[in-house]
Amino acid sequence: MRTVMAILALLLQVSVCGAAWGNGMDFIWWRMSGQDRTPDAGMTAAFDLVFPEAASADEIDVIYISSPLRSYREYGSSGPGEVYRKKIEMPPDGENAKIVIYSGRTERIDLRARVRFGDRVCYAQTITTCYGQSGHADGEAERIAAAPDWPISKLTAAYFRAQTGMPVRIIPESASKLARVYENGALSAIIEPGDGGEYSYTPPHDDALRKGGPTAKKDLVFEVSTPENDGALSFYLPVYRQFYGNLNLSAGIALLLAAVFVCLLLVARADRRFQWR
């Protein structure tokens, strides 16, 4: 009963905030807009910092933590890294802020933002991996001593990238009891934390992703409320199709057996004899 009442309260909160800002996603969140190779063997990762509709920001702060990687198994680790402050322009009303990070090595990028809307403070976070080989650093980023004390989320499973049919697990700090999960801007689920405060969500297989190929993605966002100034914390990951998720093993075996049967039938009709050694 408590869970039902909590969900109803959260839905009411969504409705109220949506009426004030124009839609149900009443918080900020990162969205990957592209990854590209550069002529010097580096790599860039571009992101939009998506604002609530009709919201006007008063302050924007962006930092990222760069952690060199030796293998994909380190993807979800939270070891020490180099902290950089990234410049970002205040966008015009009704538009999103944009940022491009340059990478010259294989590294995990933990990108974070803090935005103040009047008395309300929102946070956004995403994690991605870059594979630059130039050895150069981002010339538009400033190295700082330590990351600000902002609420963050941690991935609890190490994987290369999020895929349909595979659970995404995070543990937000200073979070509310319930989390909202959005796929491509639509509310998909309201979930409770499990053991140790872990939130887990499995993106379903998506026919559009299957048809779109290996680079097609959809946007997955976790959002929880924070105690600071009626704030919110979001965690974003792009989700890709699972390579084996749409395979039909039974149909494949049946097709193989049928092909073998047809071949044997053709051999028998031709009265072909094999020379065994």
Coordinates of all heavy atoms in Angstrom, one line a residue, residues 84-120:
Y84 N 38.3 17.9 -14.7 CA 38.4 19.0 -15.6 C 37.1 19.8 -15.5 O 36.0 19.3 -15.4 CB 38.6 18.6 -17.0 CG 40.0 17.9 -17.3 CD1 40.1 16.6 -17.1 CD2 41.1 18.7 -17.7 CE1 41.3 15.9 -17.3 CE2 42.3 18.1 -17.9 CZ 42.4 16.7 -17.7 OH 43.6 16.1 -17.9
R85 N 37.3 21.2 -15.5 CA 36.1 22.0 -15.7 C 36.0 22.4 -17.2 O 36.9 22.8 -17.8 CB 36.3 23.3 -14.9 CG 35.1 24.3 -15.0 CD 35.3 25.5 -14.2 NE 35.1 25.3 -12.8 CZ 36.1 25.4 -11.9 NH1 37.4 25.7 -12.3 NH2 35.9 25.1 -10.6
K86 N 34.8 22.3 -17.7 CA 34.5 22.5 -19.1 C 33.7 23.7 -19.3 O 32.7 23.9 -18.6 CB 33.8 21.3 -19.7 CG 33.6 21.3 -21.2 CD 34.9 21.1 -22.0 CE 34.6 21.1 -23.5 NZ 35.8 20.9 -24.2
K87 N 34.1 24.6 -20.2 CA 33.3 25.8 -20.5 C 32.1 25.4 -21.3 O 32.1 24.6 -22.1 CB 34.1 26.8 -21.3 CG 35.4 27.3 -20.6 CD 36.2 28.3 -21.4 CE 37.4 28.8 -20.7 NZ 38.2 29.7 -21.6
I88 N 31.0 26.1 -20.9 CA 29.7 25.8 -21.7 C 28.9 27.1 -21.7 O 28.9 27.9 -20.7 CB 28.9 24.7 -20.9 CG1 27.7 24.3 -21.8 CG2 28.5 25.1 -19.5 CD1 27.0 23.1 -21.3
E89 N 28.4 27.4 -22.9 CA 27.7 28.7 -23.1 C 26.2 28.6 -22.6 O 25.6 27.5 -22.7 CB 27.7 29.0 -24.6 CG 29.0 29.2 -25.2 CD 29.7 30.5 -24.6 OE1 29.0 31.4 -24.2 OE2 31.0 30.5 -24.6
M90 N 25.8 29.7 -22.0 CA 24.4 29.7 -21.6 C 23.5 29.8 -22.8 O 23.6 30.6 -23.7 CB 24.1 31.0 -20.7 CG 22.7 31.0 -20.1 SD 22.6 29.9 -18.7 CE 23.6 30.8 -17.5
P91 N 22.6 28.8 -23.0 CA 21.8 28.7 -24.2 C 20.7 29.8 -24.2 O 20.2 30.2 -23.1 CB 21.2 27.3 -24.2 CG 21.1 27.0 -22.8 CD 22.2 27.7 -22.1
P92 N 20.2 30.2 -25.4 CA 19.0 31.0 -25.4 C 17.8 30.3 -24.8 O 17.7 29.0 -24.8 CB 18.8 31.3 -26.9 CG 20.1 30.9 -27.6 CD 20.7 29.9 -26.7
D93 N 16.8 31.0 -24.4 CA 15.6 30.4 -23.8 C 14.9 29.4 -24.8 O 14.8 29.8 -26.0 CB 14.6 31.5 -23.4 CG 15.0 32.3 -22.2 OD1 16.0 31.9 -21.6 OD2 14.4 33.3 -21.9
G94 N 14.6 28.3 -24.3 CA 13.9 27.3 -25.2 C 14.9 26.4 -25.9 O 14.5 25.5 -26.7
E95 N 16.2 26.6 -25.7 CA 17.2 25.7 -26.4 C 18.0 25.0 -25.4 O 18.1 25.4 -24.2 CB 18.1 26.6 -27.3 CG 17.3 27.2 -28.5 CD 18.3 27.9 -29.4 OE1 19.5 27.7 -29.4 OE2 17.8 28.7 -30.2
N96 N 18.7 24.0 -25.8 CA 19.6 23.2 -24.9 C 21.0 23.6 -25.0 O 21.5 24.2 -26.1 CB 19.5 21.7 -25.3 CG 18.1 21.1 -25.2 OD1 17.4 21.5 -24.3 ND2 17.7 20.3 -26.2
A97 N 21.8 23.4 -24.0 CA 23.2 23.7 -24.0 C 23.9 22.6 -24.7 O 23.5 21.5 -24.7 CB 23.7 23.9 -22.6
K98 N 25.1 22.9 -25.3 CA 25.9 21.9 -26.1 C 27.3 21.9 -25.6 O 27.8 23.0 -25.2 CB 25.8 22.2 -27.6 CG 24.3 22.2 -28.1 CD 24.3 22.4 -29.6 CE 22.9 22.4 -30.1 NZ 22.3 21.1 -30.0
I99 N 27.9 20.7 -25.7 CA 29.3 20.6 -25.3 C 30.0 19.5 -26.1 O 29.3 18.6 -26.6 CB 29.4 20.2 -23.8 CG1 30.8 20.4 -23.2 CG2 28.9 18.8 -23.5 CD1 30.8 20.3 -21.7
V100 N 31.3 19.7 -26.4 CA 32.1 18.8 -27.1 C 33.4 18.5 -26.3 O 34.1 19.5 -26.0 CB 32.4 19.3 -28.5 CG1 33.3 18.2 -29.2 CG2 31.2 19.5 -29.4
I101 N 33.6 17.2 -26.0 CA 34.8 16.9 -25.3 C 35.8 16.2 -26.3 O 35.4 15.3 -27.0 CB 34.5 15.9 -24.1 CG1 33.6 16.6 -23.1 CG2 35.8 15.4 -23.5 CD1 33.1 15.7 -22.0
Y102 N 37.0 16.7 -26.2 CA 38.1 16.0 -27.1 C 38.8 15.0 -26.2 O 39.2 15.3 -25.1 CB 39.1 17.1 -27.6 CG 40.2 16.5 -28.3 CD1 40.1 16.3 -29.7 CD2 41.4 16.2 -27.7 CE1 41.2 15.8 -30.4 CE2 42.5 15.6 -28.4 CZ 42.4 15.4 -29.7 OH 43.4 14.9 -30.4
S103 N 39.1 13.9 -26.8 CA 39.8 12.8 -26.1 C 41.0 12.3 -27.0 O 40.9 12.1 -28.2 CB 38.9 11.6 -25.9 OG 39.6 10.5 -25.4
G104 N 42.2 12.2 -26.3 CA 43.4 11.7 -27.1 C 43.9 10.4 -26.6 O 45.0 10.0 -26.9
R105 N 43.1 9.7 -25.8 CA 43.5 8.4 -25.3 C 42.3 7.5 -25.0 O 41.1 8.0 -25.1 CB 44.3 8.6 -24.0 CG 43.5 9.3 -22.9 CD 44.3 9.6 -21.6 NE 43.5 10.2 -20.6 CZ 44.0 10.6 -19.4 NH1 45.3 10.4 -19.1 NH2 43.3 11.2 -18.5
T106 N 42.5 6.3 -24.6 CA 41.4 5.4 -24.2 C 41.0 5.8 -22.8 O 41.9 5.6 -21.9 CB 41.8 3.9 -24.3 OG1 42.1 3.7 -25.7 CG2 40.6 3.1 -23.9
E107 N 39.8 6.3 -22.5 CA 39.5 6.8 -21.2 C 38.0 6.7 -21.0 O 37.2 6.7 -21.9 CB 40.0 8.2 -21.0 CG 39.4 9.2 -22.1 CD 40.0 10.6 -22.0 OE1 40.6 10.9 -20.9 OE2 39.9 11.3 -23.0
R108 N 37.6 6.6 -19.7 CA 36.2 6.7 -19.3 C 36.0 8.2 -19.0 O 36.8 8.8 -18.2 CB 35.9 5.8 -18.1 CG 34.5 5.8 -17.7 CD 34.3 5.3 -16.3 NE 34.9 6.1 -15.3 CZ 35.4 5.7 -14.2 NH1 35.3 4.5 -13.8 NH2 35.9 6.6 -13.3
I109 N 34.9 8.8 -19.5 CA 34.5 10.1 -19.2 C 33.3 10.1 -18.4 O 32.2 9.6 -18.8 CB 34.3 10.9 -20.5 CG1 35.5 11.0 -21.4 CG2 33.8 12.3 -20.2 CD1 36.7 11.8 -20.8
D110 N 33.4 10.7 -17.2 CA 32.2 10.8 -16.3 C 31.9 12.3 -16.3 O 32.5 13.1 -15.7 CB 32.7 10.4 -14.9 CG 31.5 10.4 -13.9 OD1 30.5 11.1 -14.1 OD2 31.6 9.8 -12.8
L111 N 30.8 12.6 -17.1 CA 30.4 14.0 -17.3 C 29.3 14.4 -16.4 O 28.3 13.7 -16.3 CB 30.0 14.1 -18.8 CG 29.5 15.5 -19.3 CD1 30.6 16.5 -19.2 CD2 29.0 15.4 -20.7
R112 N 29.4 15.6 -15.7 CA 28.5 16.0 -14.7 C 28.1 17.5 -14.9 O 29.0 18.3 -15.4 CB 29.0 15.8 -13.3 CG 29.5 14.4 -13.0 CD 30.2 14.3 -11.7 NE 30.7 12.9 -11.5 CZ 31.4 12.6 -10.4 NH1 31.6 13.4 -9.4 NH2 31.9 11.3 -10.3
A113 N 26.9 17.8 -14.6 CA 26.5 19.2 -14.7 C 25.6 19.6 -13.5 O 24.9 18.8 -12.9 CB 25.7 19.4 -16.0
R114 N 25.7 20.9 -13.2 CA 24.9 21.5 -12.1 C 24.2 22.7 -12.7 O 25.0 23.6 -13.2 CB 25.7 21.8 -10.9 CG 24.9 22.5 -9.7 CD 25.8 22.9 -8.6 NE 25.0 23.4 -7.5 CZ 24.7 24.7 -7.3 NH1 25.0 25.6 -8.3 NH2 24.0 25.1 -6.3
V115 N 22.9 22.8 -12.6 CA 22.2 23.9 -13.2 C 21.2 24.5 -12.2 O 20.5 23.7 -11.5 CB 21.4 23.6 -14.5 CG1 20.7 24.8 -15.0 CG2 22.4 23.0 -15.5
R116 N 21.2 25.8 -12.0 CA 20.3 26.4 -11.0 C 19.2 27.2 -11.8 O 19.5 28.0 -12.7 CB 21.1 27.4 -10.1 CG 20.1 28.1 -9.1 CD 20.9 28.9 -8.1 NE 21.6 30.0 -8.7 CZ 21.0 31.2 -9.0 NH1 19.7 31.4 -8.6 NH2 21.6 32.2 -9.5
F117 N 18.0 26.9 -11.5 CA 16.8 27.5 -12.0 C 16.2 28.3 -10.8 O 15.4 27.7 -10.1 CB 15.8 26.6 -12.6 CG 16.4 25.7 -13.7 CD1 16.8 24.4 -13.4 CD2 16.4 26.2 -15.0 CE1 17.3 23.6 -14.4 CE2 16.9 25.4 -16.0 CZ 17.4 24.1 -15.8
G118 N 16.5 29.5 -10.6 CA 16.0 30.2 -9.5 C 16.4 29.6 -8.2 O 17.6 29.5 -7.9
D119 N 15.4 29.1 -7.4 CA 15.8 28.4 -6.1 C 15.9 26.9 -6.3 O 16.2 26.2 -5.3 CB 14.7 28.7 -5.1 CG 14.6 30.2 -4.7 OD1 15.6 30.8 -4.8 OD2 13.5 30.6 -4.4
R120 N 15.7 26.4 -7.5 CA 15.8 25.0 -7.7 C 17.2 24.6 -8.3 O 17.6 25.3 -9.2 CB 14.7 24.5 -8.6 CG 14.5 23.0 -8.6 CD 13.2 22.6 -9.3 NE 12.9 21.1 -9.1 CZ 13.0 20.3 -10.1 NH1 13.3 20.6 -11.3 NH2 12.7 19.0 -9.9

